[in-house]
Each structure stands twice: as structure tokens, then as C-alpha cells.
Amino acid sequence: YSPLSLCPSLCCQCGVPIPPNPANMCVGCLRAQVDITEGIPKQGTVHFCKQCERYLQPPGTWIQCALESRELLALCLKKIKASLSKVRLIDAGFIWTEPHSKRLKLKLTVQKEVINGAVLQQVFVVEYVVQSQMCEDCHRIEAKDFWKAVVQVRQKTVHKKTFYYLEQLILKHRLHQNTLRIKEIHDGLDFYYSSKQHAQKMVDFLQCTVPSRSKSSQRLISHDIHSNVYNYKSTFSVEIVPICKDNVVCLSPKLAQSLGNMSQICVCIRVTSTIHLIDPRTLQIAEIDGNTYWRHPFNSLFHPKQLEEFIIMDINRVHEKKKGAGAGARSNKHTLAEAWVRKTSELDTDHQYFCCTHLGHILNPGDLVLGFDLANCNLNDEFANKMNPQHIPDVVLIKKSYDRSKRQRRRNWKLKELERDREATDTDDERQYQDFLEDLEEDETIRKNVNIYRNADIPVESDTDDDGAPRISLAEMLEDLHISQDATGGEGAEMLT
């Protein structure tokens, strides 16, 4: 080795001893002469949608990125990709900034060959300003008028019990998350969606949940002849069977025979994915799905407002009743009984009515019960008018009557509701909603499909003054989750030990 190669040389600019290098200059003078970051922008802009928390990746793609993530780093580097082509990128990373400062800082390390083959490495910072911009999807949602598919759910009945039950099922299965808008009209609901696939998913859910039928149509909005792209608006119409819980129905003779020689006059005790009927004279039960109903349709004989209050004068439970030929299954949850009843509006008379009822397990002499009076009404029904009058009961009892105001005061639970555009509500809607809440208390089968939340504002009362009204136990209730700022360790929160 030459002894001269081990001796430090002097910088040609400032004369400082330096190790030998091709440029014959120290690092300070070399950076003063050459700036390898020249042409690389030190500031930039990133667009962020506050509604969906996505970043814009030009030209028109919105992507989900967390702060200081690899995806966000790649998005920022693509902004200066063209400028970085003249240098070699060695390292890149984020410098911490306040989340609410609307600033992103990147620390970049680059290398470049400069004078006489010398390689210079430099570290610099690029600052991005986060600007708010609403994405197209959120813009359409905020407009509330843009939609590509709508599901129109209808039920031609005066009571909304089925819709209240359907609302709870939608909330439980979170099928309302993809809706742009929910609009309530007189006899149903309209669900608006941004894609046809989401609407089809809702239709499939409805057909599996309630007995219904559906049909669809679409309308051409625009057509691009160059790319052969068609833009349609789709409409799905779903019709739910017009039968609700506690309706008295009259079946066709053919349908009654196919269900095990049931009586044509039946009571609807529940509507889930099928219509659950019970014969109050024999306790025979049957389930009718949507397809069977549309082949053999039937209607309710009475309006819910026609319910009358009766008082039980005498009741005898029938423990054994001989089955008829070809009879179907009987209910194990009900008890057959023969009762003498009198209207509370006719207590000053001696007029009593005899009837068979399926409520023998909860009725006692002196109890109040709601029912329909068939003896003193005009039945306008195709099948009921052709029946033998001897086969039509005088009275059909529906449910036991309790003090509604006391039940409301004791109700220490609540339900969630869908956010929707409502029409003007009236007192009848509130009465129907209270009927639905009472049905939940009385029917455990329906409660299993509904999320019930405990209402902490109402204390739990003792059962000392219980009048026998059915109630929901605390074990069946969920805790309504409320996250406060202190619970998440926000400003002013104390340390948990």
C-alpha cells in the first residue's frame, strides 16, 4: 500500500482534513454545492372523507387507512413517486403528529450519485395537509334522493304488529346498516339502497322471516353506447300476508280439511315465518306458510277495535276431548275450557254467552277477558257466510285483560327503533305499539327473536302487588351499552386501579 493513501486529504473548499473521496470535498461543502432533494416537493395534500373515514387515492378510488399504517404511507409516497425516480429511496416513516392537527409528516432518506461518482445520502421531511372532501358514496347518502334499488314492504292490514316484530328482527341481524334511507308510509316501509345486491339480500331475509311474496321490476336510467354500460333503478315489492296476531280468521273448507279437519273459525296466536293458528274448540294447531296462504287466501273477520271486554261468570276445564277422524296435533301450552261470559257493558242484564276457549290455563271466574262477539255482528266474509250457523261460535275469547297503565309503569325494559322518516303519528299508533309490547311479555317464543334492553331509569319493583300480569325477567334483558368519555380514558378520567 502506498503511504500516501493513508494520509487524510484536505477539502478543496474549506481545507478541512477529510478521508479521501472522489469529490475531494467534505460532506458539508458537498451538500452546499449539491441538493439531491431538489425537485422533490416538501409539501402535499391528502383528501379525507370524514363520514366514512377513507382517503382518496387518485384518480377516483377511496381506501380505508389507519393513521401511520403501511397503506397510508404507500398512498403518500405515490403522491411524489415521479419526483423520487431520480433518487434512491432508502427509508421512509411517519413523524408523530397530533391526530386533530390535520397534518401528516413523512421522514424520507434518499441517496444519489453526485460529483465524480460520490454517493450522497440525505434525510428530509415531507408534510401533507389533510383536507376534508366528501366521497361520492357519502354524497349520495347525504342527498337522500339517490338510490339504485328500493324494497317496498307492504301489509294490507290496519294493525302494525307484524311490522313492529319485523323491525326488531332487522335490528337484531343488522340488516339496516346498508340502507341509504328508510321511509315509513301508511301501510308499510320503503328501504332505499345504493346497490341491487343489498336490496336482494333484504328481500331474501324478509321471505325467510315472515310469510310473504315478492316481485321485482327495473327502469332504465341511462345507457353508454360506447362502453355498453346500462344504469338501472330496481324496485322490489314485498307483500306480507294480511294476518296479524290475535286475528280471528275463517278458513276455506278445502284448507281446513287439509289441516286435519280443523274448524273453519280459528285464532291466529303468532306470526313468524309461518302463520300459527289454533282451533279454540279443540286446541288443534296448524302452521300455514306463505305459499299455502296465497293458494288459499283468507282474511281477518274483525277489526282490532272491535274487541269487547267480557267477564268470566263460570269456567270448566275440559281435560280430555276425543279427537276427530284425521285430526292434527294439539297444543300443549293451552288448556281447553268451557266458559259462561257476560259483557261488561251488559252487567245490568242477565244475558250470558257460552263459548269454548283455549285460555283455560289462565282464566278464572271473575277475570276480565277480551274477545269478539260473533252472535251480534254482521260477518262479511266469503267462507263465513256459507258456514252452518250452528258451527259458528257466539263468542271467541282472545286474551286476558290486565290494567294497562300499571303494566306500563312496571315495564323496566325497552326496545330499539329504526331511524326512519316518519309520517305524523297518532294515538292509534301508540296503542298498537303498546299492544306489541304486551305481546312480547305474554309470548316467550317471540321474545327469543328480539333484543330486549333493560331500562335503568325504571327501578325493579317487588312482586308483592303483582296482579298476575306476565312480565319479562331480568335474565332475558340485555344491558344497553353507553360509552362515556370518562369510561374510555378521555380528558379528566381517573386512573382505574
Side-chain angles (χ1 to χ4, degrees):
Y1 295 101
S2 172
L4 296 176
S5 62
L6 301 176
C7 298
S9 60
L10 302 177
C11 175
C12 64
Q13 295 288 334
C14 61
V16 175
I18 59 172
N21 61 67
N24 200 25
M25 283 190 290
C26 65
V27 176
C29 295
L30 191 59
R31 287 180 176 174
Q33 294 289 328
V34 181
D35 183 12
I36 64 174
T37 64
E38 185 179 1
I40 301 177
K42 305 301 188 296
Q43 290 184 340
T45 303
V46 175
H47 294 94
F48 176 71
C49 178
K50 294 189 294 184
Q51 274 76 10
C52 61
E53 298 184 350
R54 293 187 298 176
Y55 292 88
L56 174 62
Q57 180 176 330
T61 306
W62 292 84
I63 59 175
Q64 197 89 25
C65 301
L67 286 176
E68 301 188 7
S69 62
R70 296 182 62 180
E71 294 80 7
L72 185 57
L73 180 63
L75 186 146
C76 294
L77 290 177
K78 285 182 180 179
K79 294 272 187 181
I80 56 175
K81 183 178 180 181
S83 305
L84 291 175
S85 60
K86 299 178 181 179
V87 297
R88 182 184 178 190
L89 181 63
I90 300 300
D91 189 25
F94 284 100
I95 298 177
W96 185 85
T97 56
E98 289 285 347
H100 60 272
S101 64
K102 299 292 184 181
R103 297 292 187 273
L104 297 174
K105 290 185 179 181
L106 262 64
K107 181 180 179 181
L108 304 181
T109 304
V110 295
Q111 287 182 353
K112 185 179 181 181
E113 186 176 336
V114 290
I115 303 171
N116 297 329
V119 178
L120 182 63
Q121 180 171 308
Q122 191 169 342
V123 179
F124 65 102
V125 176
V126 179
E127 181 178 348
Y128 291 90
V129 179
V130 180
Q131 292 187 351
S132 298
Q133 177 180 331
M134 188 177 292
C135 65
E136 293 183 2
D137 294 337
C138 294
H139 187 76
R140 292 167 180 170
I141 294 174
E142 289 297 322
K144 294 184 179 179
D145 290 326
F146 182 86
W147 51 272
K148 288 190 175 180
V150 59
V151 179
Q152 300 174 339
V153 187
R154 301 289 183 268
Q155 186 182 30
K156 298 177 181 179
T157 182
V158 294
H159 207 292
K160 298 181 179 180
K161 283 185 179 181
T162 306
F163 274 108
Y164 291 135
Y165 174 66
L166 189 60
E167 176 186 18
Q168 297 305 315
L169 291 179
I170 292 174
L171 286 169
K172 182 173 183 177
H173 296 280
R174 302 179 182 273
L175 284 176
H176 62 292
Q177 293 182 336
N178 296 321
T179 56
L180 301 177
R181 179 190 181 195
I182 303 176
K183 183 179 179 182
E184 179 180 345
I185 61 173
H186 175 64
D187 55 351
L189 294 171
D190 289 345
F191 298 86
Y192 294 89
Y193 294 91
S194 59
S195 68
K196 184 179 179 181
Q197 290 75 15
H198 291 153
Q200 185 64 56
K201 183 179 179 181
M202 172 60 83
V203 174
D204 295 340
F205 172 78
L206 292 174
Q207 291 181 336
C208 296
T209 305
V210 290
S212 58
R213 62 180 176 182
S214 65
K215 58 183 178 180
S216 62
S217 63
Q218 57 184 9
R219 179 165 57 96
L220 180 64
I221 303 301
S222 62
H223 173 213
D224 187 350
I225 59 176
H226 301 288
S227 59
N228 202 28
V229 174
Y230 294 84
N231 184 19
Y232 289 100
K233 278 192 174 183
S234 303
T235 301
F236 296 88
S237 177
V238 180
E239 183 182 359
I240 303 176
V241 296
I243 304 298
C244 294
K245 185 179 183 297
D246 296 337
N247 283 165
V248 176
V249 300
C250 183
L251 309 179
S252 64
K254 183 177 180 181
L255 179 59
Q257 184 180 8
S258 66
L259 296 176
N261 291 326
M262 288 185 70
S263 172
Q264 289 183 246
I265 303 294
C266 296
V267 178
C268 176
I269 56 175
R270 192 181 303 115
V271 177
T272 54
S273 57
T274 57
I275 305 172
H276 298 255
L277 300 178
I278 188 170
D279 183 356
R281 305 175 71 175
T282 62
L283 294 188
Q284 188 173 335
I285 56 176
E287 296 183 11
I288 300 177
D289 58 10
N291 294 330
T292 305
Y293 176 84
W294 298 118
R295 287 198 304 268
H296 306 281
F298 51 88
N299 297 313
S300 174
L301 297 180
F302 293 93
H303 190 282
K305 291 184 178 180
Q306 293 177 278
L307 275 172
E308 297 188 60
E309 192 175 56
F310 296 85
I311 185 171
I312 303 295
M313 306 304 294
D314 190 18
I315 186 168
N316 296 315
R317 291 167 180 80
V318 180
H319 298 287
E320 292 185 6
K321 188 175 180 69
K322 186 178 180 181
K323 277 190 176 184
R330 290 184 178 180
S331 173
N332 296 324
K333 298 182 179 180
H334 300 84
T335 302
L336 184 62
E338 297 176 345
W340 286 94
V341 297
R342 180 183 296 179
K343 290 183 182 180
T344 54
S345 59
E346 299 177 354
L347 291 179
D348 55 345
T349 66
D350 295 333
H351 193 186
Q352 296 186 10
Y353 302 89
F354 175 80
C355 64
C356 293
T357 179
H358 59 291
L359 304 176
H361 57 296
I362 58 175
L363 295 181
N364 294 296
D367 287 345
L368 297 177
V369 62
L370 298 177
F372 293 109
D373 181 8
L374 281 74
N376 302 313
C377 69
N378 294 323
L379 295 178
N380 187 15
D381 184 79
E382 175 186 0
F383 306 121
N385 293 337
K386 298 178 181 179
M387 286 183 62
N388 187 342
Q390 296 181 355
H391 295 162
I392 299 179
D394 292 339
V395 172
V396 176
L397 302 182
I398 301 299
K399 59 182 179 180
K400 189 175 179 179
S401 178
Y402 300 97
D403 187 353
R404 169 165 287 188
S405 59
K406 185 180 293 186
R407 294 182 72 171
Q408 292 180 6
R409 290 196 305 268
R410 289 180 176 177
R411 190 169 291 141
N412 58 342
W413 54 273
K414 58 184 178 180
L415 301 176
K416 291 187 176 181
E417 297 183 6
L418 287 174
E419 295 183 4
R420 56 185 182 270
D421 300 337
R422 296 176 179 269
E423 293 182 343
T425 58
D426 52 14
T427 56
D428 191 50
D429 291 342
E430 179 62 25
R431 182 186 61 81
Q432 293 180 15
Y433 187 67
Q434 292 298 327
D435 288 343
F436 172 69
L437 297 182
E438 292 175 2
D439 290 343
L440 286 180
E441 293 175 335
E442 296 168 5
D443 195 337
E444 183 181 357
T445 305
I446 297 181
R447 286 204 301 269
K448 294 179 180 179
N449 301 326
V450 175
N451 285 341
I452 298 174
Y453 298 91
R454 190 171 71 87
N455 190 355
D457 298 334
I458 300 178
V460 180
E461 297 183 2
S462 62
D463 296 335
T464 55
D465 57 344
D466 193 1
D467 59 351
R471 300 173 67 178
I472 299 179
S473 63
L474 290 175
E476 299 179 78
M477 301 180 193
L478 301 174
E479 290 289 344
D480 196 4
L481 183 61
H482 293 286
I483 301 178
S484 62
Q485 187 177 10
D486 290 346
T488 56
E491 186 176 355
E494 297 181 358
M495 182 180 295
L496 299 177
T497 58

